[in-house]
Amino acid sequence: MTLAAARKAVAEVSRRLASSGMVPATAGNVSMRDGDLVAISPTGATLAELTAEQVSVVDLDGRLVHGDLEPSSELGLHLGIYLQHNAGAVVHTHAPACTAVASVRDELPCIHYAMLAFGGAVPVAPYATFGSRELAANVVAALAGRSAVLMASHGAITYGTTLAKAYEAMELLEWASDLYLRTLPLGAARVLTAEQTEAVVTAAREKQYGAPRRAVSRTKT
Ligand SMILES: [Zn+2]
């Protein structure tokens, strides 16, 4: 993928996030790594109208390489994830269900097998001021063994090997948070046991779950 394609992809996913309702106004940011460079949405931008030309490009030290706009105020958070984890893209939002759980709980428990896509229960990283080194450090640490975390009294962040995967992870995280909120009036939700978790991982591996595959022809009997 070229840098121009990466800027276009960041702008497209930013607009898609805005239309999904997961990023009110200017809250939220998207980035994608291309070798030693990172294409990232600019600070203060209305994501619903973001164009490829408005996407900033920085090196891994955060120096602006292309673009006229100041990169996202969460640049340090994005760069910290690229340096510490095997991420190709990062998505950060203030999605309402994620933020509701992150405002009250210390963890989103693993109540549905689909959550194993994140690595299981999703931790809530401790609160720190937006854009601060402390927040970046808290989130990077909470991501150990996970591809998603909630951020206390703030929002959510996901990463993936591709931008499409990082976006899908955010959609799934918002769905899982909403699901959890729906269980609360009903009582304590069942949490997947270690045995159930292991069985899901085995089944997913055997069936290549989550990826489209050619149908095996079946003869009618
Ligand atoms: Zn934020």
Side-chain angles (χ1 to χ4, degrees):
M1 179 169 281
T2 65
L3 200 53
R7 292 173 90 183
K8 188 165 172 265
V10 166
E12 279 173 3
V13 165
S14 296
R15 295 195 301 267
R16 199 169 154 200
L17 269 179
S19 63
S20 74
M22 289 196 284
V23 285
T26 61
N29 32 74
V30 174
S31 74
M32 181 177 168
R33 184 172 180 173
D34 182 42
D36 290 336
L37 298 176
V38 172
I40 184 163
S41 53
T43 186
T46 302
L47 295 188
E49 296 159 6
L50 199 70
T51 64
E53 296 69 40
Q54 291 176 309
V55 173
S56 310
V57 178
V58 297
D59 63 20
L60 291 175
D61 293 321
R63 283 183 292 256
L64 189 66
V65 177
H66 294 290
D68 302 321
L69 300 176
E70 195 65 28
S72 163
S73 53
E74 295 297 1
L75 175 62
L77 174 56
H78 287 248
L79 293 178
I81 294 171
Y82 290 117
L83 293 173
Q84 294 291 323
H85 300 282
N86 181 30
V90 175
V91 172
H92 165 57
T93 71
H94 298 173
C98 289
T99 309
V101 176
S103 301
V104 181
R105 303 288 159 139
D106 296 324
E107 180 186 82
L108 174 63
C110 188
I111 58 167
H112 193 285
Y113 75 89
M115 292 179 67
L116 293 174
F118 308 128
V122 177
V124 177
Y127 180 81
T129 308
F130 79 94
S132 66
R133 278 170 191 263
E134 190 187 354
L135 179 63
N138 291 350
V139 170
V140 168
L143 276 169
R146 294 288 183 274
S147 58
V149 298
L150 297 175
M151 299 155 66
S153 308
H154 183 153
I157 197 154
T158 57
Y159 75 80
T161 51
T162 65
L163 190 47
K165 285 182 178 168
Y167 178 83
E168 281 167 19
M170 183 57 74
E171 269 190 329
L172 181 62
L173 184 57
E174 177 64 358
W175 172 83
S177 297
D178 182 59
L179 184 70
Y180 178 62
L181 294 175
R182 288 170 188 239
T183 66
L184 293 178
L186 305 176
R190 282 186 290 271
V191 173
L192 259 64
T193 64
E195 199 173 84
Q196 288 168 334
T197 300
E198 187 54 40
V200 171
V201 171
T202 304
R205 197 184 301 126
E206 284 173 358
K207 295 177 179 156
Q208 298 178 323
Y209 183 74
R213 58 194 184 279
R214 198 170 289 280
V216 178
S217 62
R218 295 183 178 86
T219 315
K220 277 189 179 171
T221 52

